[in-house]
Amino acid sequence: MATTISSLITPPALHRRCQSLASASTPASLSFRAVAAPRASRWAVALRVAASSAVLEAPEEVAARKLYVGNIPRTVTNDELRDMFAEHGTVERAEVMYDKYTNRSRRFGFVTMSTAEEANAAVESLNGTEVGGRTIKVNVTESFLPNIDRSAPEPEPVFVDSQYKVYVGNLAKTVTTEVLKNFFSEKGHILSATVSRIPGTSKSKGYGFVTFSSEEEVEAAVATFNNAQLEGQPIRVNRA
């Protein structure tokens, strides 16, 4: 049997030479391992392919189970955020966003559940509930957009970040950064605005951010624009 298997993977001349060397100086156990190695190699390749396939997931499935969590207390940590959502399923990732200049929590984060059903259950149970004296907002961050336009997007204006920021969700596909900026500018001064887009495309992810220079302006924006109509649909505006 060893001869049959090895001859399938070794050129005849080299096979005869390997046979003579093995019979002269190689213990039987080593000969067995040499024959068995190709099978082990094939198993390793199969496992790598299986692992790679598990990682590759349809975009709509990833989008449907990733949640935005807004207006959380600044004291909430990644572990506490994870524990909050663990009651509703398996949490793959929980991350509180921090300001890169002050290292303070930006009062929002993202949670990825293991299934879309768990994500929906978390939204139903946690959106509008109170945590540390604050009413939190929980929304699915992205909607999968079929027929993605792969054309090169227009360059985006530079976004000016700030600790005084709002998350704007449920944006229509037609809302651009310029449209969002003009809409909020009608009611007062803003620092900057941006609509998040699918990387490498001009397609909106359905949410964006607007920054201000003070906490009072943030409060005014939430009070004025939450549930306001933009491009034909009501938007959600929460502290970010």
Side-chain angles (χ1 to χ4, degrees):
M1 178 63 72
T3 301
T4 303
I5 295 174
S6 60
S7 62
L8 292 176
I9 61 173
T10 311
L14 181 59
H15 172 64
R16 286 193 296 272
R17 183 179 179 186
C18 289
Q19 272 191 316
S20 61
L21 288 173
S23 60
S25 57
T26 307
S29 59
L30 281 180
S31 297
F32 174 77
R33 284 199 295 271
V35 172
R39 175 178 292 182
S41 177
R42 290 195 295 272
W43 273 107
V45 171
L47 288 173
R48 286 197 295 271
V49 170
S52 298
S53 300
V55 172
L56 296 176
E57 188 175 3
E60 64 269 33
E61 295 177 4
V62 177
R65 56 192 182 83
K66 185 176 180 180
L67 303 173
Y68 164 86
V69 189
N71 201 35
I72 57 178
R74 294 194 191 277
T75 55
V76 170
T77 64
N78 290 347
D79 289 340
E80 290 171 338
L81 186 63
R82 175 182 293 273
D83 292 343
M84 191 187 311
F85 283 78
E87 299 178 6
H88 305 284
T90 302
V91 178
E92 291 189 354
R93 184 175 183 180
E95 184 177 15
V96 176
M97 306 307 293
Y98 290 88
D99 185 272
K100 62 183 178 181
Y101 301 110
T102 65
N103 204 33
R104 298 175 67 196
S105 166
R106 293 161 65 182
R107 287 183 174 163
F108 74 93
F110 295 94
V111 174
T112 303
M113 307 298 290
S114 64
T115 66
E117 290 74 20
E118 292 175 349
N120 290 333
V123 171
E124 291 294 325
S125 300
L126 296 174
N127 185 42
T129 58
E130 190 172 292
V131 176
R134 305 180 71 86
T135 302
I136 66 171
K137 301 294 182 181
V138 183
N139 308 311
V140 175
T141 58
E142 304 175 13
S143 297
F144 175 65
L145 303 176
N147 303 319
I148 292 176
D149 179 10
R150 296 293 180 183
S151 59
E154 292 290 328
E156 282 284 305
V158 176
F159 178 67
V160 181
D161 205 354
S162 166
Q163 62 179 311
Y164 306 113
K165 180 161 58 177
V166 297
Y167 163 89
V168 187
N170 199 40
L171 292 176
K173 297 178 185 178
T174 55
V175 175
T176 63
T177 291
E178 192 64 25
V179 169
L180 185 65
K181 181 178 180 180
N182 292 338
F183 183 74
F184 275 78
S185 295
E186 290 178 2
K187 299 293 184 178
H189 175 70
I190 70 171
L191 289 181
S192 193
T194 186
V195 171
S196 295
R197 300 189 299 187
I198 297 175
T201 77
S202 58
K203 291 293 185 179
S204 165
K205 288 183 177 181
Y207 69 93
F209 297 92
V210 179
T211 56
F212 302 87
S213 57
S214 70
E215 182 68 23
E216 291 73 22
E217 290 173 325
V218 169
E219 293 176 356
V222 172
T224 301
F225 294 108
N226 189 39
N227 293 321
Q229 292 282 327
L230 177 57
E231 299 284 315
Q233 63 188 52
I235 61 175
R236 294 188 297 272
V237 182
N238 310 321
R239 296 172 186 273

